[in-house]
Amino acid sequence: MSIAAAEILPDKRVTSFVKERRKLLIDGKWVDAASGKTFPVQNPATGEVIAHVAEGDRQDIDRAVKAARRAFESGAWPRLTPSERGRLVWKLGDLILENLEELAELESLDNGKPVTVARAADVPLAADLFHYMAGWATKIEGNTIQLSVPYAPGVKFHAYTLREPVGVVGQIIPWNFPFLMAAWKLGPALATGCTVVLKPAEETPLSALRLGELILEAGFPDGVVNIVTGFGETAGAALAAHPGIDKVAFTGSTEVGKLILQAAVNDLKKVSLELGGKSPNIVLRDANLDIAIPGAASAIFFNHGQCCCAGSRLFVQQSIFDKVVEGVADRAKQIKVGPGLDPDTEMGPMVSESQFNRVCGYIESGLSEGAKAVAGGRKRDGKGYFVEPTVLVDTTPDMKVIREEIFGPVVTAIPFKELDDDLVRAANDTVYGLASAVWTKDISKAHSLAGKLKAGTVWINCYNIFDAALPFGGYKQSGFFFFNVKESIEIYTQKKSVCAAL
Ligand code: NAP
Ligand code: MG
């Protein structure tokens, strides 16, 4: 494993962006935190501090919410036509593409992911999301309804529904796809005419702040998007509980999702949650192993396993178990682990020291409970938060590595005998229900299983396929509501019935 992050310098624009102390975006201006405090941001490939960012807190959240309220109720934003609003959202997508290389490097430096992945996936997907959502701005519609009110005989009514923006939205995002998650949140909010206070994850605030600059460059009126960097327990909690917020949109762990829900109870804010997962990835004996083996490896190792939908429980039919496990383990051993900015890197470091310790802790717990590592399983010494891609076998259903979300490059391979109710029960035996996959050449088996898996997404002979037009959301403790597509327009709008007696 080559660790040469310190020598691999990013693009000049990235270097100058991180050199400057980064501030909060409130009411169209870059301002210091009211407390004057900042916090350091690390490069996870080296552990070195690369930037200092304002540490927003309750007072800053309050300033940002007030700015968002003013922008929602008066000024240029509510006066824009849907088409003008859509054009601004489209322009933001264009600006992202114009700055693609810089954004990809910034994301890689801050999060640790391979720059090749950020360049090919995170940043273009974010641009695509804004372009897709721009089109929805002009397609927000209600219905006309024919009434038959029995106690008003002879009276005719003209009744219809309207969809109005839900208002000021607090958005809290995680560190695994910092830029893309910001886009997923902002796209539908802006397309529908809401205003936003966004709180990025403390580990990865940089690309959202650069996005803030592009938002100003695109010409969004002041206060439409406010970005407050800071910590979850302070800034995040203040945002979730703020009475001036109409809706909270959260992506992160199920544990914090529950806190968000509790914070919203007092004034019954609208809440949408995208939470964790422990997804079953099922390989049947008739699968095309030339695609299933690399597919199963990529399902867990993509983004270092720091994916809510990672295929972390690999179910393989008994007769092909050894072959598939060997193939996935071989792939794990070949993966080039290194600093994200190295163009040859396939897997970068964990995002932070605490995430590194958490993942290593899970590996140790699995091994101490009797699981065996057929690939990886060891810590990497030296600078940076690198974990070996790990394949565990000989697990039992009650082990922590089977029950809990590891959020790292660790897959547990589990054999099964037949495609029967026991397999379905085992696959669904989790509090989560985000994603799943089936690998088989038999189309009827695939669709039959797709109907039985309690997961918001079922991939067949593929994994980690995302598109702005493909709904994404969870069953059970993986969250409420689906994202992307029309449904996300619906959750950022409030329905209203209008009924007129003629
Ligand atoms: P996390 O700890 O839940 O943090 C997510 C966000 O919530 C961060 O901005 C965090 O701030 C903030 N936060 C923490 N405590 C808070 C509180 N008490 N009140 C309000 N906000 C608070 O999650 P993470 O570790 O960053 O991300 C990993 C998790 O996200 C995994 O469980 C993963 O499955 C999930 N995820 C789900 C999806 C999906 O679409 N379903 C997508 C991506 C990730 P700090 O950064 O300061 O802690
Ligand atoms: Mg966190």
Side-chain angles (χ1 to χ4, degrees):
M1 180 178 70
S2 62
I3 301 183
E7 296 92 64
I8 301 166
L9 290 176
D11 183 287
K12 273 208 191 86
R13 289 165 302 177
V14 174
T15 327
S16 65
F17 184 81
V18 295
K19 212 163 58 194
E20 216 175 290
R21 189 162 45 87
R22 304 310 327 178
K23 300 184 178 185
L24 314 175
L25 178 59
I26 298 181
D27 210 8
K29 283 154 213 76
W30 294 102
V31 295
D32 287 317
S35 66
K37 285 197 215 163
T38 61
F39 65 96
V41 179
Q42 281 184 0
N43 172 357
T46 60
E48 283 157 13
V49 172
I50 47 168
H52 291 274
V53 168
E55 186 192 319
D57 200 343
R58 180 172 303 277
Q59 230 180 312
D60 306 293
I61 290 290
D62 189 54
R63 282 196 288 169
V65 172
K66 285 182 177 140
R69 176 62 59 193
R70 279 194 300 276
F72 181 71
E73 283 172 3
S74 55
W77 184 241
R79 289 205 299 268
L80 291 183
T81 64
S83 156
E84 288 166 333
R85 206 168 62 230
R87 277 206 294 275
L88 279 179
V89 177
W90 183 274
K91 190 162 175 198
L92 184 55
D94 282 350
L95 286 173
I96 289 170
L97 291 180
E98 281 168 30
N99 293 277
L100 191 146
E101 187 54 35
E102 179 198 346
L103 289 164
E105 290 196 20
L106 185 63
E107 193 75 326
S108 170
L109 184 68
D110 194 8
N111 166 279
K113 67 178 65 204
V115 67
T116 47
V117 172
R119 190 186 286 135
D122 300 60
V123 181
L125 277 171
D128 218 30
L129 194 282
F130 285 115
H131 285 151
Y132 175 86
M133 285 298 167
W136 277 111
T138 49
K139 292 159 198 72
I140 298 168
E141 298 171 340
N143 310 101
T144 54
I145 303 153
Q146 297 197 355
L147 304 189
S148 348
V149 187
Y151 51 82
V155 183
K156 286 206 183 302
F157 294 94
H158 175 52
Y160 58 95
T161 57
L162 294 173
R163 279 210 170 263
E164 299 172 346
V166 81
V168 177
V169 185
Q171 303 186 320
I172 302 175
I173 53 173
W175 45 256
N176 57 342
F177 293 91
F179 192 69
L180 184 58
M181 288 300 115
W184 275 29
K185 290 277 171 284
L186 288 169
L190 296 174
T192 49
C194 294
T195 60
V196 174
V197 178
L198 176 76
K199 209 269 322 151
E202 66 186 74
E203 290 88 351
T204 54
L206 299 178
S207 59
L209 293 173
R210 182 69 184 101
L211 182 63
E213 292 186 340
L214 298 181
I215 286 167
L216 297 183
E217 190 180 334
F220 283 89
D222 291 351
V224 170
V225 177
N226 304 273
I227 303 177
V228 179
T229 46
F231 301 128
E233 296 74 9
T234 50
L239 183 56
H242 199 293
I245 292 282
D246 299 298
K247 169 185 166 70
V248 186
F250 172 79
T251 297
S253 60
T254 294
E255 184 192 352
V256 176
K258 290 177 185 175
L259 296 177
I260 300 287
L261 211 48
Q262 280 163 10
V265 157
N266 264 351
D267 34 21
L268 289 182
K269 291 182 182 68
K270 312 264 183 290
V271 177
S272 50
L273 300 174
E274 295 171 72
L275 307 175
K278 190 75 187 172
S279 300
N281 188 15
I282 303 171
V283 186
L284 303 185
R285 65 175 153 245
D286 66 357
N288 175 353
L289 296 189
D290 291 342
I291 60 162
I293 290 174
S298 152
I300 183 65
F301 299 131
F302 173 67
N303 211 42
H304 329 162
Q306 299 173 143
C307 284
C308 47
C309 53
S312 51
R313 290 181 301 137
L314 177 62
F315 290 90
V316 185
Q317 201 148 13
Q318 192 85 62
S319 57
I320 54 162
F321 184 77
D322 289 346
K323 190 166 180 194
V324 171
V325 169
E326 196 187 319
V328 174
D330 282 350
R331 178 70 198 117
K333 290 172 198 160
Q334 285 157 11
I335 288 175
K336 288 200 185 70
V337 181
L341 285 178
D342 184 334
D344 291 331
T345 289
E346 293 174 299
M347 200 174 103
M350 299 287 96
V351 74
S352 63
E353 189 174 9
S354 69
Q355 184 63 11
F356 170 80
N357 288 333
R358 181 184 139 101
V359 173
C360 292
Y362 273 112
I363 296 174
E364 279 159 25
S365 131
L367 298 177
S368 72
E369 287 183 296
K372 193 173 113 207
V374 290
R378 288 185 312 264
K379 283 188 194 182
R380 300 265 193 172
D381 294 328
K383 276 204 289 186
Y385 310 128
F386 297 92
V387 172
E388 286 184 340
T390 296
V391 181
L392 297 179
V393 294
D394 296 347
T395 56
T396 53
D398 52 338
M399 284 183 186
K400 267 172 70 168
V401 288
I402 294 285
R403 305 232 63 83
E404 297 179 19
E405 183 181 40
I406 299 175
F407 222 56
V410 183
V411 65
T412 52
I414 307 156
F416 68 91
K417 287 202 186 82
E418 291 304 328
L419 169 51
D420 56 13
D421 289 349
D422 286 345
L423 169 67
V424 172
R425 215 171 291 121
N428 288 334
D429 182 20
T430 164
V431 296
Y432 299 109
L434 195 59
S436 59
V438 186
W439 301 82
T440 175
K441 286 186 200 139
D442 185 328
I443 197 84
S444 58
K445 280 185 194 159
H447 289 298
S448 155
L449 206 44
K452 292 175 182 163
L453 291 170
K454 301 271 182 256
T457 293
V458 183
W459 284 297
I460 299 175
N461 294 327
C462 59
Y463 209 99
N464 281 332
I465 299 301
F466 296 100
D467 190 283
L470 188 65
F472 186 77
Y475 271 54
K476 300 191 269 182
Q477 294 191 31
S478 289
F480 302 157
F481 297 116
F482 272 68
F483 303 91
N484 304 347
V485 293
K486 192 169 183 191
E487 198 165 333
S488 64
I489 294 298
E490 287 168 7
I491 62 176
Y492 281 92
T493 52
Q494 166 72 56
K495 203 175 223 188
K496 177 187 276 179
S497 287
V498 182
C499 173
L502 300 179

